Amino acid sequence: MDFEFGVEDEAFRSEAREWFHAHPPQRGDPRAWERELGAGGWVGIGWGAGGFGNRTASLTQQVVWGEEYARAGGPTRLGHIGENLLAPTLLAHGTEEQRRRFLPPIARGEELWCQGYSEPGAGSDLAGVRTRAVRDGDRYLISGQKIWTSLALDADWCFVLARTEEGSVRHRGLSFLLVPMDQPGRIEVRPIRQMSGTSEFNEVFFDGAVAHARDLVGAEGDGWRVAMGLLALERGVSTLVQQVGFAVELEDVIRTAVRNGAFRDPVLAERLVRQWAELRVMRWNALRTLGRTDDPGAPSVAKLLWGGWHRRLGELAMAVRGAAATSGPGPWDGAYELDDQQRMFLFSRADTIYGGSDEIQRNIIAERVLGLPREAKEESR
């Protein structure tokens, strides 16, 4: 039996559908769409009542909103990092001044954020951060490099994990800083072109970039605790919402298989059924753990499940199309053009890497859930 939403949840669903009917999703100008959502009060509905310009919604209503957003064909959000990662972090660890400064512009869809965590040579090992921030009066001067920084080209701000204690190693001596991106000569963003032809990820170079001391979240040297709290927010309601988009993609692959007759191949038919069944299991698992904070392995299990599932879906989409999968959607004119399924196949190759690689997730489960010996790590860098 599937999860049943309550009467208030369904009323919230009707409200969301009515709003989408009056405000069809916009794809041409992502910033304008963020402002449209903000004007409707739909940004930050999970923050609670705080006078930040957002609606308030229960946990299940947040799921409802995400499902309706996906069903309405809403585009990928530019503001999701600020809304779903930074804002809850400020609510948990920030000062009242920081909340009043940063949450209203996020709720209005006016300020966009990116996340300065991963670095070259460290990969998913967040404790390997080398970017440094040196205190200079009432500010910090930041130098170093971040990589795989999603949406950095569009971001107005970046929350950066940097080393503020000279000689510190691993998780000690890190601080969590809010950094304005508009600093010519001090911050440079270089897009990373992927094989899908897109460049959502970027390299970011800091050369004496300025962050004000008032924009330090938590105490100096407390960055590891703040960063770990933020990472837990990357899984949860968003996982259920993501699965709605997965279902739409799977339905498209099934339609292709029916249209070209590939479903008659018993091997492909079995793979299609398996993808459908695994998606249902992922949904039930996400609903089972929704709102729980007592299961240290749940986020890692969820990441392992959806990362592998989506990569297999991309492979299945190409297998269903056969040789036709190698041709573009239009006549060749020298442009790098792909259709939705081809983009999904190429981009999904990264699903088991970004957001914490499969290897890192398995280490977390082994160490924190199964109690196996911790992996030996180099203590000096």
Side-chain angles (χ1 to χ4, degrees):
M1 177 179 291
D2 203 354
F3 182 84
E4 293 186 4
F5 292 98
V7 174
E8 292 184 356
D9 300 328
E10 295 305 329
F12 194 81
R13 187 185 303 279
S14 296
E15 183 180 0
R17 288 181 176 176
E18 290 175 5
W19 189 85
F20 278 120
H21 180 73
H23 305 82
Q26 304 173 20
R27 293 185 177 273
D29 186 346
R31 279 186 174 267
W33 177 237
E34 288 295 323
R35 292 192 294 270
E36 185 82 10
L37 290 169
W42 294 109
V43 178
I45 62 175
W47 299 350
F52 304 119
N54 56 304
R55 300 170 186 246
T56 59
S58 67
L59 199 57
T60 50
Q61 287 171 343
Q62 294 170 51
V63 175
V64 165
W65 163 251
E67 290 180 339
E68 293 307 314
Y69 186 90
R71 291 193 177 103
T76 300
R77 294 276 311 282
L78 283 183
H80 75 93
I81 295 176
E83 176 188 8
N84 298 318
L85 297 183
L86 177 71
T89 300
L90 292 182
L91 289 169
H93 303 285
T95 65
E96 185 62 25
E97 179 186 1
Q98 288 169 343
R99 297 183 195 115
R100 292 294 168 189
R101 162 60 186 86
F102 293 109
L103 297 192
I106 295 174
R108 293 192 299 267
E110 294 175 354
E111 288 186 348
L112 304 177
W113 287 77
C114 61
Q115 175 178 344
Y117 273 17
S118 297
E119 296 187 4
S124 296
D125 181 12
L126 191 56
V129 164
R130 298 184 183 185
T131 294
R132 299 196 175 276
V134 178
R135 185 71 181 256
D136 179 30
D138 62 351
R139 64 181 187 169
Y140 289 90
L141 300 179
I142 303 170
S143 297
Q145 179 187 355
K146 300 293 180 176
I147 198 167
W148 309 121
T149 309
S150 300
L151 306 176
L153 269 179
D154 299 296
D156 303 296
W157 288 78
C158 181
F159 49 90
V160 176
L161 193 63
R163 204 164 285 285
T164 49
E165 180 183 329
E166 185 68 29
S168 63
V169 296
R170 304 301 299 163
H171 61 276
R172 295 180 291 273
L174 298 172
S175 296
F176 191 100
L177 294 160
L178 310 180
V179 184
M181 292 293 286
D182 186 14
Q183 300 191 45
R186 295 176 182 266
I187 297 180
E188 180 185 359
V189 179
R190 298 180 189 173
I192 301 173
R193 184 176 173 84
Q194 298 144 229
M195 59 183 177
S196 61
T198 57
S199 53
E200 294 93 342
F201 301 127
N202 302 267
E203 294 179 280
V204 182
F205 297 85
F206 299 94
D207 185 9
V210 176
H212 290 284
R214 64 174 180 270
D215 295 333
L216 169 71
V217 180
E220 184 173 296
D222 198 30
W224 181 258
R225 182 177 68 89
V226 176
M228 290 301 98
L230 183 145
L231 285 176
L233 299 168
E234 289 190 302
R235 334 261 193 255
V237 171
S238 60
T239 301
L240 280 163
V241 174
Q242 179 188 51
Q243 291 167 11
V244 178
F246 286 171
V248 172
E249 291 177 334
L250 176 58
E251 289 168 5
D252 187 45
V253 174
I254 293 172
R255 280 194 296 269
T256 300
V258 172
R259 186 169 56 248
N260 68 8
F263 75 99
R264 295 189 180 90
D265 181 322
V267 174
L268 291 177
E270 190 274 339
R271 289 175 65 182
L272 288 166
V273 171
R274 182 177 292 275
Q275 288 288 144
W276 177 86
E278 289 177 349
L279 184 59
R280 301 299 294 174
V281 170
M282 281 197 294
R283 176 175 172 79
W284 292 327
N285 180 65
L287 289 168
R288 178 182 64 85
T289 59
L290 185 63
R292 289 181 56 181
T293 58
D294 59 347
D295 186 348
S300 294
V301 169
K303 176 60 169 63
L304 284 170
L305 287 174
W306 73 252
W309 184 92
H310 198 227
R311 187 173 69 175
R312 291 192 298 276
L313 180 65
E315 294 167 349
L316 180 56
M318 298 299 99
V320 161
R321 290 169 61 169
T326 62
S327 13
W332 172 253
D333 60 0
Y336 190 80
E337 190 175 357
L338 300 168
D339 59 35
D340 289 342
Q341 289 185 358
Q342 290 168 329
R343 274 191 295 272
M344 175 184 66
F345 166 67
L346 293 175
F347 188 84
S348 65
R349 308 310 295 170
D351 283 337
T352 55
I353 301 173
Y354 71 82
S357 69
D358 278 10
E359 292 78 9
I360 292 294
Q361 304 307 330
R362 291 191 178 99
N363 278 352
I364 291 173
I365 294 170
E367 296 172 1
R368 301 182 189 175
V369 180
L370 302 179
L372 298 178
R374 291 184 175 273
E375 181 184 17
K377 293 183 173 69
E378 182 183 352
E379 283 296 325
S380 61
R381 289 184 176 269

